[in-house]
Amino acid sequence: MTVFHFFNCAILTFGPHAVYYSATPLSEYDTLGTSVKAALVYLGTALVKLVCLATFLKVSENDSFDPYQELLKALIGFIDVAGLYFALTQLTHRNISQNHKFQAVGLGWAFADSVLHRLAPLWVGARGLEFTWDYVLQGIEANANLVLSISLAALGSLIWLRKNKPRTLIPIIYACAGIVATMPSITSYLRRGLGWHLPKVVGFELFTSLVMAFISCQLFAACQRPSS
Amino acid sequence: MAPRKAGERDMLESFYSVIALVFILVACVELCDAATVVDVYRLIQYDISGVPFGSRLAALNHHAGSLQFAPGADLSRTVVIIPVRELNMSFVKEYIVQRQPLGGLLFLLPQMFNFDNRDGMGIYHQNHGKELLRNVMVELEQLLIHANIPYPVYFAFEDSDIDAVLADINKNDAIGQPATATTGGFKLVVSAPEPKKLALPTITNIQGWLPGLKSDGDASQLPTIAIVASYDTFGAAPALSVGSDSNGSGIVALLEIARLFSLLYSNPKTRGRYNLLFGLTSGGPYNYNGTQKWLRSLDQRLRESIDYAICLNSIGSWDNELWIHVSKPPENAYIKQIFEGFSNVAEELGFKVGLKHKKINISNPRVAWEHEQFSRLRVTAATLSELFTAPELMERTGGFVDSRHFVNETAIIRSIKLVAESLARHVYGHQGKNIQIFSDKSSLAVNPSYIQLWLDLLSRTPRVAPFLSKNDPLVMALKKELEDHTAEVNVQHELLDGMFTFYDLTKARLNIYQVASVTFDLLLLLVLGSYLIVLFSFLVITTRGLDELFSLFRRPPSRKVKTA
């Protein structure tokens, strides 16, 4: 609904990324390069996923929840995790602490996700005269996705970059990482299988992202204690 | 360190300029995704000798309002949606006749008048409530046709989408919150170009000739009887003017009579000694312009050989009385003979036929009945009609009120029997004898399904003459039908009289958008701004500590301290 609304939804969708970058010490240590590289890795991952989906998935006529198709989509979703692993470990970063590395990677990852999935619908749809709440909800979803990406990056860095973890926490770390990685499948099940409407789904995403962020923060802090 | 940063900054700048370019390119894409899209039909726009009538604009882009607005409210940027069922005639008169400013009008017609609606098609309804509605609509149509309206006026049919929109608008207006740019609501948009004059409006006359039996001794021309009906309509919404009664009934009757006589004339033993001339004329609502041009184009000998002409006009919704209108005085011998023939047959069929005389005023350009065009060229003619009084200019010309539901096939069948029998008795010389040529159980019976078929087709085809092209499918269909029944068919194309000018654009699509107000946008901006500020503060506090937050505001003084 007019360019004003588009502007509002755009700052809701992309504003938090910029705010996160400038508010945290990331801007002081100039980790923009890392974020940009993480965004490019996301782009590559998305392309690989696209090819796999096109090859292996059948086009369904109705919008129902097909367990086998969803399982296949979840498996292909693990390519995401592989991409994140690549971004965290293989890219040559400058000497930044692990604390900042996962944040930068998560930020770049989430920004690329928002741009790829939400910019085009926003541009095409939010500028029209007709008003819907869809784009505001999409922006809130982008926020939840940012939190989730950063928590996933944190858990990923714990799994792959930190060698001395307390033994008891390892299964919890893997469990949390698994939950966060399969979030897309869970949301699509809620939308199609249970028939939840968009506001409910977005609310659920927001809630789980905050919970997951809190848990991963605690885990990160717990793992950091032995070394400090 | 510094050159590397500068290089990075250059890369970022070029990156941003590329993004900006992409945005500008994409800005050229304009998509139109309205929640509701409705087919609407525009009020006719025409000039008579330069005097403008009808709705002069087509494009619409205003907020929607309903009849429950606060009195004295400014409606110059509002489109008022009025369902015809709840029409308040005084409001309409006030705004149209007194030329008060209005953004636009949208009239909602009941689905009953929708010829695309298959339910109840072909069923004759006689319902008092519908009669009342019909009278209101006739009055509305007359008001709109004769007014000069400087804003767009559209007609649409009631359906669930637009009813829901109207209910919402009513609710908002009742609270006292009419839709404007700052309070949200619904916006009605019709994107249409400026209406242009129709350059060369053609009227097409179709004539069919059925020659009589000429015996070898006959040197002179056989006498001719003409049967004529005008087939075009005129109404407030040209895309909806199907004119089932005026004059769909006349066309159907003419075709059926042509069919019956073609059966008789196909066999030389039963061919009469009269030629039959069938004429489907156009330009009826415009003082029977087409009939005049057709008669002028006829060969003079042929015209002189016409014994008499019967014009058919609105014979579809009468109960037990028809009228024969003449312009020659009733004492005239020919008129007497014709009328006697008709009334005898009518008596046998069980209804009455009356005779009505109306003198022609040569100086008056108004031609009320089709037979007057014949009379002006000194040909004896009469019009058979259910109407008692002559209609005024552009009255009873088949507007949107004249729908299929108000036409009775039985009435048409009886009219056909009347005309056919009277004609046959005259042709075969059986006046006064009680013989039924077209009786119901014979092979010459009137075919009800033929009538129903043609009536249904005509009730679905709007027939305003300036909007019918030379090769319009309906004109071709009528021509082909006459070719089936008659020996020789001629099609004559003429230009409509220069007094009338018409403008195009009769149909459009209306987009209904639900818009939020500007205050909503500002509110949202405020909320988002405060959310981002809160997020920023939260992140600074959690990652760098509370002192950092305050130091952000204290930075300028600290810099001064440093330089000093």
Side-chain angles (χ1 to χ4, degrees):
Chain A
M1 186 216 97
T2 70
V3 186
F4 201 160
H5 188 68
F6 165 74
F7 176 72
N8 279 345
C9 294
I11 61 176
L12 179 59
T13 316
F14 302 112
H17 301 87
V19 162
Y20 192 91
Y21 185 78
S22 55
T24 56
L26 289 179
S27 55
E28 277 178 22
Y29 290 100
D30 199 18
T31 50
L32 191 65
T34 318
S35 297
V36 169
K37 284 182 201 158
L40 290 173
V41 172
Y42 182 84
L43 212 70
T45 319
L47 279 168
V48 171
K49 266 172 63 178
L50 207 69
V51 169
C52 287
L53 281 172
T55 318
F56 295 117
L57 230 56
K58 291 195 304 262
V59 176
S60 67
E61 289 88 33
N62 50 355
D63 206 21
S64 66
F65 183 74
D66 187 359
Y68 295 112
Q69 299 295 316
E70 294 300 323
L71 199 64
L72 216 57
K73 277 193 210 165
L75 284 174
I76 291 176
F78 277 108
I79 297 177
D80 257 339
V81 181
L84 205 58
Y85 170 78
F86 179 78
L88 278 171
T89 57
Q90 305 296 78
L91 291 177
T92 53
H93 302 292
R94 285 179 298 145
N95 205 4
I96 13 175
S97 75
Q98 207 183 58
N99 203 350
H100 297 144
K101 189 194 283 187
F102 82 81
Q103 283 184 36
V105 168
L107 186 68
W109 195 264
F111 186 72
D113 182 85
S114 286
V115 166
L116 240 54
H117 288 160
R118 292 179 193 97
L119 182 63
L122 199 63
W123 178 254
V124 162
R127 272 187 321 133
L129 270 179
E130 181 77 21
F131 175 74
T132 45
W133 285 101
D134 285 348
Y135 299 105
V136 177
L137 290 172
Q138 205 182 50
I140 298 175
E141 196 179 0
N143 280 326
N145 195 31
L146 172 64
V147 178
L148 275 175
S149 298
I150 293 183
S151 14
L152 186 62
L155 294 167
S157 82
L158 276 184
I159 295 171
W160 297 308
L161 294 179
R162 188 168 282 276
K163 300 305 171 194
N164 48 342
K165 300 187 277 277
R167 299 237 95 213
T168 48
L169 291 176
I170 292 179
I172 305 176
I173 294 174
Y174 276 97
C176 290
I179 293 173
V180 176
T182 53
M183 267 309 281
S185 305
I186 297 174
T187 46
S188 95
Y189 169 69
L190 289 174
R191 203 171 302 180
R192 303 222 195 116
L194 294 181
W196 281 17
H197 291 303
L198 193 59
K200 250 173 138 179
V201 173
V202 169
F204 171 78
E205 271 184 33
L206 212 58
F207 174 70
T208 41
S209 64
L210 289 170
V211 166
M212 281 294 140
F214 179 71
I215 295 175
S216 44
C217 195
Q218 294 301 311
L219 283 171
F220 205 85
C223 288
Q224 225 164 354
R225 250 181 271 124
S227 55
S228 63
Chain B
M1 190 71 172
R4 211 154 153 226
K5 270 208 166 172
E8 272 191 24
R9 210 170 292 128
D10 279 342
M11 184 188 82
L12 282 173
E13 274 174 3
S14 55
F15 189 56
Y16 288 143
S17 58
V18 166
I19 294 267
L21 185 64
V22 168
F23 268 101
I24 291 170
L25 283 174
V26 177
C28 302
V29 171
E30 268 290 334
L31 280 185
C32 198
D33 53 335
T36 319
V37 182
V38 182
D39 278 325
V40 291
Y41 309 96
R42 196 167 82 98
L43 180 64
I44 195 163
Q45 181 181 359
Y46 66 105
D47 301 337
I48 299 183
S49 309
V51 180
F53 290 101
S55 157
R56 311 306 293 180
L57 285 180
L60 192 66
N61 190 350
H62 287 309
H63 282 87
S66 71
L67 281 172
Q68 292 170 1
F69 56 90
D74 177 29
L75 295 177
S76 59
R77 297 190 63 80
T78 316
V79 178
V80 181
I81 304 183
I82 305 180
V84 166
R85 283 183 215 268
E86 300 155 24
L87 185 62
N88 184 354
M89 205 38 114
S90 55
F91 165 79
V92 177
K93 281 202 179 120
E94 189 190 317
Y95 270 83
I96 292 181
V97 174
Q98 292 174 18
R99 306 192 59 137
Q100 298 230 20
L102 196 62
L105 273 177
L106 178 67
F107 288 102
L108 295 182
L109 307 171
Q111 273 292 344
M112 181 172 70
F113 295 99
N114 188 0
F115 54 84
D116 276 335
N117 183 10
R118 294 288 158 200
D119 308 328
M121 197 63 176
I123 298 172
Y124 175 58
H125 298 287
Q126 179 72 300
N127 190 336
H128 180 66
K130 293 197 174 110
E131 278 299 313
L132 217 65
L133 185 64
R134 201 159 171 243
N135 292 338
V136 165
M137 285 177 72
V138 167
E139 202 185 329
L140 178 70
E141 192 169 17
Q142 286 301 309
L143 180 69
L144 290 173
I145 291 176
H146 290 111
N148 177 7
I149 303 173
Y151 42 82
V153 178
Y154 282 97
F155 298 94
F157 288 107
E158 290 172 351
D159 69 356
S160 51
D161 288 334
I162 211 167
D163 280 343
V165 167
L166 188 61
D168 262 336
I169 297 173
N170 274 331
K171 212 166 51 171
N172 283 341
D173 276 354
I175 303 173
Q177 239 189 3
T180 55
T182 48
T183 54
F186 289 92
K187 206 157 194 214
L188 304 182
V189 177
V190 173
S191 44
E194 180 94 24
K196 290 191 291 292
K197 281 189 193 181
L198 287 177
L200 298 165
T202 39
I203 45 177
T204 310
N205 298 318
I206 311 168
Q207 79 180 42
W209 175 255
L210 209 55
L213 186 69
K214 226 176 168 168
S215 51
D216 297 328
D218 271 336
S220 57
Q221 178 94 327
L222 280 177
T224 311
I225 299 180
I227 299 152
V228 189
S230 85
Y231 69 86
D232 68 329
T233 59
F234 179 86
L240 298 175
S241 300
V242 292
S244 298
D245 199 10
S246 311
N247 192 11
S249 52
I251 304 169
V252 165
L254 186 144
L255 290 176
E256 177 66 3
I257 294 169
R259 184 187 74 88
L260 290 171
F261 275 94
S262 80
L263 285 173
L264 276 173
Y265 273 45
S266 55
N267 187 349
K269 287 195 195 143
T270 51
R271 200 176 292 167
R273 286 180 194 273
Y274 280 80
N275 299 321
L276 289 176
L277 177 63
F278 296 96
L280 283 168
T281 58
S282 180
Y286 323 111
N287 290 328
Y288 294 100
N289 199 253
T291 317
Q292 183 192 46
K293 294 197 157 95
W294 176 56
L295 285 175
R296 295 246 163 90
S297 76
L298 284 181
D299 190 29
Q300 184 163 359
R301 281 191 305 152
L302 173 58
R303 206 164 55 227
E304 282 170 7
S305 76
I306 297 180
D307 240 14
Y308 66 91
I310 299 281
C311 308
L312 303 169
N313 182 358
S314 309
I315 46 176
S317 55
W318 55 276
D319 282 324
N320 43 26
E321 188 159 21
L322 273 180
W323 296 95
I324 297 185
H325 299 264
V326 290
S327 44
K328 287 198 175 161
E331 299 77 41
N332 185 301
Y334 288 121
I335 302 290
K336 260 188 168 172
Q337 194 185 33
I338 297 169
F339 180 63
E340 259 176 44
F342 271 88
S343 57
N344 284 344
V345 178
E347 218 175 289
E348 286 164 30
L349 289 171
F351 55 88
K352 269 183 61 189
V353 170
L355 187 66
K356 193 132 189 292
H357 173 230
K358 179 179 178 291
K359 268 194 166 147
I360 306 178
N361 187 352
I362 304 275
S363 51
N364 187 356
R366 169 77 189 128
V367 177
W369 296 110
E370 197 162 12
H371 71 266
E372 291 182 17
Q373 293 286 18
F374 285 85
S375 303
R376 282 168 195 238
L377 292 171
R378 279 179 271 280
V379 178
T380 310
T383 301
L384 182 69
S385 174
E386 69 201 5
L387 302 170
F388 181 66
T389 47
E392 297 297 317
L393 182 65
M394 309 213 177
E395 204 182 80
R396 289 232 46 150
T397 48
F400 56 58
V401 193
D402 204 343
S403 80
R404 177 73 179 83
H405 299 289
F406 298 102
V407 176
N408 188 356
E409 279 148 43
T410 336
I412 300 181
I413 292 174
R414 284 156 100 195
S415 320
I416 293 172
K417 280 187 187 164
L418 173 69
V419 178
E421 286 284 352
S422 320
L423 223 61
R425 285 185 195 184
H426 186 95
V427 164
Y428 297 108
H430 295 309
Q431 279 100 317
K433 294 184 199 166
N434 192 354
I435 295 177
Q436 246 199 350
I437 298 175
F438 302 101
S439 64
D440 280 337
K441 298 196 186 51
S442 68
S443 61
L444 290 171
V446 174
N447 189 349
S449 34
Y450 183 80
I451 292 170
Q452 192 178 11
L453 207 86
W454 272 99
L455 198 60
D456 282 349
L457 173 66
L458 291 167
S459 303
R460 286 199 306 270
T461 321
R463 307 187 294 278
V464 181
F467 301 104
L468 293 177
S469 62
K470 276 190 190 173
N471 299 322
D472 193 80
L474 179 74
V475 173
M476 294 290 112
L478 288 172
K479 175 177 172 233
K480 186 172 173 304
E481 196 64 19
L482 274 184
E483 274 171 3
D484 279 346
H485 300 320
T486 58
E488 198 185 309
V489 169
N490 283 331
V491 175
Q492 179 202 20
H493 299 291
E494 294 281 346
L495 279 180
L496 186 59
D497 196 13
M499 198 168 79
F500 289 89
T501 321
F502 289 89
Y503 292 76
D504 64 355
L505 227 94
T506 51
K507 271 185 79 158
R509 289 184 74 79
L510 173 75
N511 296 301
I512 304 180
Y513 297 103
Q514 182 158 25
V515 291
S517 55
V518 172
T519 44
F520 170 80
D521 277 336
L522 287 170
L523 213 67
L524 192 62
L525 184 65
L526 216 67
V527 166
L528 289 176
S530 48
Y531 164 69
L532 285 177
I533 290 171
V534 164
L535 187 68
F536 184 83
S537 325
F538 171 74
L539 286 171
V540 165
I541 292 172
T542 49
T543 53
R544 293 194 245 183
L546 199 58
D547 296 332
E548 275 292 317
L549 186 64
F550 292 130
S551 75
L552 280 174
F553 298 110
R554 265 188 271 126
R555 211 184 286 147
S558 61
R559 210 176 274 166
K560 271 189 190 162
V561 168
K562 263 196 178 167
T563 50

